[in-house]
Amino acid sequence: MAVTDKYAAILREAARRMTERAKAANAEEARRPYGDQALQPVPAAEWGKLVDNYLGGVMGTHCASWHPVAAIAVADWLEDEAVQIDDTPYRVDDDWVERNYRAPLAAARAYLGPNTVTVQP
């Protein structure tokens, strides 16, 4: 197993979870106010307003800004970075990967939580 495999796996796992959760959060069922089947789903374009209304305050504003489309864009970026790691044409060590992929690894680890260093392909 190449050194790069474990790093690509971290990025891919974060991307997979982000995409899965974003799609679930933006599904019609999730956009029904208070999960009430009698109410029509809020239009996808109003997703942020729905979340902000549920939570309110700065927490509502913050969570509403993490729109599923934004999450999927970040997930796509992480997947692209994983491909770049896989395509590294020469032998590298852990320090090289940590240095050259600091931002995507930081984002993936923050999303996955403190035990991400154990993620294996």
Side-chain angles (χ1 to χ4, degrees):
M1 176 173 71
V3 168
T4 55
D5 291 348
K6 65 183 172 185
Y7 293 103
I10 291 169
L11 299 181
R12 286 197 170 97
E13 180 62 15
R16 183 191 67 75
R17 290 185 194 180
M18 277 182 202
T19 300
E20 183 179 279
R21 292 170 181 169
K23 287 179 178 179
N26 204 29
E28 187 174 287
E29 189 63 30
R31 290 185 281 108
R32 290 184 186 278
Y34 310 104
D36 188 335
Q37 296 298 314
L39 298 174
Q40 289 296 314
V42 171
E46 295 178 23
W47 185 91
K49 186 189 299 185
L50 174 69
V51 171
D52 195 14
N53 286 341
Y54 280 152
L55 299 174
V58 294
M59 181 63 83
T61 302
H62 167 72
C63 291
S65 69
W66 187 241
H67 191 284
V69 174
I72 290 171
V74 172
D76 288 347
W77 168 63
L78 293 177
E79 182 59 38
D80 290 347
E81 292 296 308
V83 169
Q84 290 297 317
I85 290 174
D86 283 340
D87 290 346
T88 301
Y90 39 86
R91 189 176 175 93
V92 298
D93 61 12
D94 289 310
D95 290 338
W96 185 91
V97 178
E98 291 285 348
R99 237 183 3 264
N100 287 279
Y101 292 91
R102 181 182 347 233
L105 286 168
R109 288 174 172 145
Y111 188 81
L112 293 172
N115 296 324
T116 59
V117 290
T118 62
V119 172
Q120 296 295 320

